[in-house]
Amino acid sequence: MVDDSGWADLVISGVSKSFRDPKGAEVKALAEVSLNIPSGEFVVLLGPSGCGKTTLLRSIAGFEKIEAGFINLGGTRIDLLPPHKRPVNTVFQSYALFPHMTVAENISFGLENEKIDKREIKSRVAEVLELVEMSELAERKPSQMSGGQQQRAALARALAKKPKVLLLDEPLAALDLKLRKTMQVELKRIHRATGTTFLFVTHDQNEAMALGDRIAVFNSGELVQVGTPFEIYTAPTTEFVANFIGESTVLTGSIDSRIFTGDGLKIQQIPNQITDGSAKKIIIRPEAFSLLSGKGSVGEMRIKEIIFAGDALEVLLSSSTGHEVKVKSDVSILPQLNVGSDVELFVDATQIGQVN
Ligand SMILES: Nc1ncnc2c1ncn2[C@@H]1O[C@H](COP(=O)(O)OP(=O)(O)OP(=O)(O)O)[C@@H](O)[C@H]1O
Ligand SMILES: [Mg+2]
């Protein structure tokens, strides 16, 4: 038997790309980005506006010429091929459906260009429409459909070509929050049903956590961390990642004999994996703290703000040096808290991490 493991793996290796701004200055959109994506994985590219996410997708699709590195798909180098020769397809934020064509015509159009047999086209159109649960709307035109339906049609059109990799550039950004959440579940189902590799761009951390098998976090053209949502959330390696994914309190100080001192706080029983020394940066997620009772007292803190979020309380505290600490707490203690008063803060030290 032929071992075809890794056959459709996408390998991005040392990819760099710069642009010139109107004044002629160099903008580094991608700086030596390397990322291996096994076939069938759902990877989310996450990062703030302008960090290079779209540039990476366009480089894979063939709309940008990379300056350094290479891109392989299934063992074949694709970065030198013209876009139409690459076995990838893109779904854009603006659905880019042809307005004068029905959904079915939109889907079959791309296949006709590829000179695929008519009967095969018909069966593929039916197949992808069923996949996105749009069979009933096949004869509608884009203007006769909701945003969510147009997005499904765009997805069906991209999948009909049976790409090895589907590139999705903020495809849900135009939808309202409720519809976006529904579409997230749909996307996961469709991903599972097709087994296609999905490379999905977003700047929304919740969307990234909800969708990705793995998340690749970008900042200023650099890939700063890759991992499962759990790894990225529980063990961010940099302050940027810690603050971009979820909220956290970052404290700077020194650790001596398992005691952290800094930013007006003293925390006992720092985990052993964080070594002694000065200028240490530790991060603490809001849910690792507790108020009024708990383990590991940090001492008295002043309440700056209380935000009732329905299922949780977010409390902003201020240390003696004015450093801000974010706490997520059970709503039951709300009656005992007042802005401006002091409260005892506790922390579960086992949940403390370290960043650079
Ligand atoms: N054609 C171009 N000419 C000049 N600069 C460009 C060009 N395309 C992108 N850039 C710059 O390259 C950087 C990366 O852009 P890119 O579109 O990849 O960001 P992004 O992460 O997709 O951002 P967003 O979340 O806003 O879509 C930005 O600084 C952008 O201004
Ligand atoms: Mg973009």
Side-chain angles (χ1 to χ4, degrees):
M1 209 174 104
V2 180
D3 176 16
D4 66 353
S5 57
W7 158 241
D9 289 3
L10 177 64
V11 178
I12 298 159
S13 182
V15 167
S16 295
K17 174 75 189 173
S18 319
F19 294 104
R20 294 257 161 222
D21 75 6
K23 288 186 182 141
E26 190 185 39
V27 179
K28 201 125 191 96
L30 295 172
E32 292 179 33
V33 171
S34 295
L35 181 62
N36 278 10
I37 301 174
S39 172
E41 199 177 27
F42 197 139
V43 172
V44 176
L45 310 181
L46 175 70
S49 184
C51 71
K53 307 178 296 291
T54 294
T55 305
L56 183 55
L57 281 203
R58 288 173 56 82
S59 302
I60 297 166
F63 306 126
E64 299 291 354
K65 194 171 176 305
I66 58 175
E67 297 154 3
F70 62 83
I71 302 170
N72 275 8
L73 181 56
T76 306
R77 187 161 174 183
I78 61 163
D79 59 277
L80 302 171
L81 300 175
H84 68 274
K85 290 258 169 75
R86 302 186 188 196
V88 305
N89 217 341
T90 311
V91 180
F92 299 97
Q93 176 181 345
S94 55
Y95 322 121
L97 294 167
F98 300 113
H100 59 286
M101 291 184 190
T102 66
V103 171
E105 287 163 355
N106 259 287
I107 298 169
S108 55
F109 181 76
L111 301 175
E112 280 155 14
N113 272 354
E114 289 198 351
K115 303 201 170 44
I116 294 170
D117 174 87
K118 275 217 160 68
R119 278 204 350 241
E120 166 75 11
I121 291 181
K122 230 179 149 191
S123 91
R124 274 212 217 168
V125 171
E127 188 189 328
V128 290
L129 280 174
E130 200 182 313
L131 183 68
V132 299
E133 295 175 344
M134 290 267 294
S135 304
E136 262 91 87
L137 304 182
E139 300 312 318
R140 295 261 187 108
K141 293 204 171 137
S143 61
Q144 300 165 326
M145 296 188 299
S146 72
Q149 289 163 342
Q150 290 181 54
Q151 190 49 268
R152 279 167 204 254
L155 196 61
R157 186 177 59 176
L159 286 167
K161 285 197 177 176
K162 297 190 187 282
K164 286 205 175 88
V165 178
L166 188 65
L167 306 168
L168 302 115
D169 196 352
E170 310 226 22
L172 310 183
L175 307 178
D176 67 55
L177 183 63
K178 214 157 180 196
L179 191 51
R180 214 157 75 209
K181 294 222 153 147
T182 311
M183 279 304 293
Q184 286 170 6
V185 176
E186 279 294 282
L187 268 180
K188 280 180 91 106
R189 178 184 64 78
I190 292 163
H191 171 252
R192 237 175 263 124
T194 59
T196 306
T197 306
F198 276 29
L199 201 50
F200 183 102
V201 162
T202 183
H203 56 253
D204 177 338
Q205 42 139 328
N206 291 324
E207 188 158 274
M209 304 260 273
L211 289 175
D213 293 326
R214 282 191 305 157
I215 300 174
V217 187
F218 284 77
N219 189 22
S220 306
E222 286 181 27
L223 178 55
V224 281
Q225 191 173 357
V226 189
T228 63
F230 184 81
E231 285 163 352
I232 300 267
Y233 186 81
T234 57
T237 52
T238 67
E239 191 171 346
F240 171 79
V241 176
N243 283 320
F244 200 76
I245 311 239
E247 291 187 302
S248 49
T249 295
V250 179
L251 301 169
T252 309
S254 56
I255 296 169
D256 189 22
S257 310
R258 306 291 92 224
I259 299 169
F260 170 88
T261 319
D263 288 326
L265 295 169
K266 194 169 185 163
I267 301 170
Q268 319 266 348
Q269 295 182 327
I270 294 293
N272 287 332
Q273 62 266 29
I274 306 177
T275 49
D276 282 7
S278 57
K280 291 276 170 186
K281 274 189 187 172
I282 60 169
I283 73 141
I284 309 172
R285 295 293 190 188
E287 61 274 17
F289 287 113
S290 50
L291 294 170
L292 304 175
S293 68
K295 47 182 169 176
S297 175
V298 177
E300 296 259 296
M301 302 275 283
R302 178 74 37 96
I303 300 179
K304 272 179 79 178
E305 202 61 73
I306 302 169
I307 298 149
F308 175 64
D311 58 345
L313 269 188
E314 287 163 29
V315 185
L316 292 184
L317 303 171
S318 168
S319 73
S320 59
T321 56
H323 203 84
E324 197 171 273
V325 172
K326 277 182 212 130
V327 180
K328 195 169 175 183
S329 162
D330 195 276
V331 291
S332 63
I333 60 166
L334 179 61
Q336 297 171 66
L337 305 178
N338 291 302
V339 173
S341 65
D342 289 340
V343 68
E344 183 151 21
L345 178 68
F346 299 84
V347 65
D348 174 4
T350 60
Q351 293 189 49
I352 292 176
Q354 182 182 0
V355 290
N356 296 314

